[in-house]
Amino acid sequence: MPETGPDLRVLVVDDDFMVASIHTRFVERAPGFVPVGVAATARAALEEIERLRPDLVLLDVHLPDASGIDVLRRLRGAGNEVGVIMVTAAREAETVRAAAAAGAAHYLVKPFERSDLEARLEGFRRSRAALAAIDADAASAARATQDAIDAVFAPAPGARVALPKGLSVETAGAVGAALAGGEELSASAVADRIGVSRVSARRYLEHFVETGRLSARLQYGGTGRPVRLYRREG
C-alpha cells in the first residue's frame, strides 16, 4: 500500500483528447495521485508545468508542435527536475535511449492497462520518497547509506532489482520496451528493433524469462531450427 502523505500532482500531456481522458481517469484511480491538468501541445505542456508546478508529468512523444523528448530536454536544461514518465506509442530504440538520457523516470508504451501505469506511478512515488529521506538525513549524515541509494534507484514494484554482470539497465529498459506491446518477438527481431546484436538481445531476454518477466516458446516451421519467441508476462 502507498505510504500516507500529500497526493502527488500529475499533468497529463497528450494531443489525443480521448487518450488524455483515459490516462486522467487512470491517475484518478491511483492511490496517492491526483490529476491537475491536461495539455495537448509541447508549448502548452511547458506553460502548464510552469503554472501548475506538478510533481509528475505523463508526457507523450508525438506532439503536434514538438517532440516530447524536446520538452523533456528543455525542462532539464532549465534546471526543472519535475518527474516525467514518457507515455507513448513510440518504440524506436533511439527514442527510448533519448528519453533515458534526458532523465525520464519511466517509459510506458501505449496502449497499456491501468495496472501498468499504477506500477510506474508507485515506483516513482517510492523513489521520490527515498530521495526526500536522504535530503532529510543530510544534516546528520555525511553520506547516504547504500540501502538508501538503492531505494532511490529501485524499479517499479514487481521488477527485479539486480541484473547479471555485463547487463546494463539502459539496454534492459530498451528490451523491455520492445516487448511492452504484448507481441511475440524473436531475439533477432528485438535486436533489430533496439539496435543491438542478436546474442546481446538474447542474454537480456533469457534473463527476463528466468526472473518471470517474460515467457518463451519454440515456434516450429517446415524447415530449419525452431525459433524461440518471447512475450511479456501479464
Side-chain angles (χ1 to χ4, degrees):
M1 295 291 292
E3 297 172 7
T4 59
D7 287 345
L8 297 183
R9 296 156 48 83
V10 182
L11 174 69
V12 176
V13 180
D14 199 296
D15 65 334
D16 186 313
F17 172 78
M18 290 302 299
V19 172
S21 297
I22 292 170
H23 294 172
T24 297
R25 291 198 296 271
F26 283 177
V27 173
E28 288 174 340
R29 297 176 65 182
F33 293 85
V34 58
V36 294
V38 174
T41 66
R43 179 177 179 178
L46 291 168
E47 291 175 349
E48 290 296 87
I49 290 168
E50 178 67 23
R51 183 178 72 88
L52 297 171
R53 302 290 182 181
D55 301 296
L56 178 65
V57 180
L58 302 186
L59 180 59
D60 192 10
V61 168
H62 299 303
L63 298 172
D65 53 341
S67 165
I69 299 296
D70 292 333
V71 172
L72 179 55
R73 287 171 175 159
R74 286 190 61 178
L75 290 170
R76 299 301 184 246
N80 190 321
E81 297 181 355
V82 62
V84 173
I85 296 178
M86 305 307 298
V87 177
T88 175
R91 303 186 185 195
E92 299 83 4
E94 59 269 26
T95 304
V96 177
R97 286 195 292 266
H106 290 289
Y107 193 107
L108 189 54
V109 177
K110 297 189 291 188
F112 51 83
E113 300 295 329
R114 179 168 61 92
S115 59
D116 294 325
L117 177 60
E118 287 188 351
R120 274 72 179 183
L121 292 175
E122 177 63 9
F124 172 78
R125 188 196 62 75
R126 289 178 180 274
S127 178
R128 179 183 170 93
L131 278 173
I134 288 177
D135 288 340
D137 290 341
S140 58
R143 295 182 298 176
T145 66
Q146 184 63 58
D147 285 346
I149 294 171
D150 286 344
V152 173
F153 289 95
R160 304 304 193 270
V161 175
L163 285 172
K165 185 176 181 180
L167 302 189
S168 74
V169 173
E170 293 79 10
T171 304
V175 170
L179 287 157
E183 61 186 314
E184 286 186 315
L185 294 176
S186 67
S188 295
V190 172
D192 291 342
R193 182 167 290 185
I194 68 174
V196 300
S197 71
R198 184 190 65 80
V199 173
S200 178
R202 180 154 185 163
R203 287 188 64 199
Y204 287 90
L205 292 165
E206 289 299 328
H207 169 67
F208 290 151
V209 171
E210 292 173 3
T211 54
R213 294 180 63 183
L214 298 179
S215 61
R217 70 177 182 89
L218 291 177
Q219 182 182 62
Y220 292 89
T223 60
R225 299 177 60 182
V227 177
R228 190 164 168 83
L229 297 177
Y230 301 87
R231 183 173 184 172
R232 180 178 173 180
E233 279 293 291

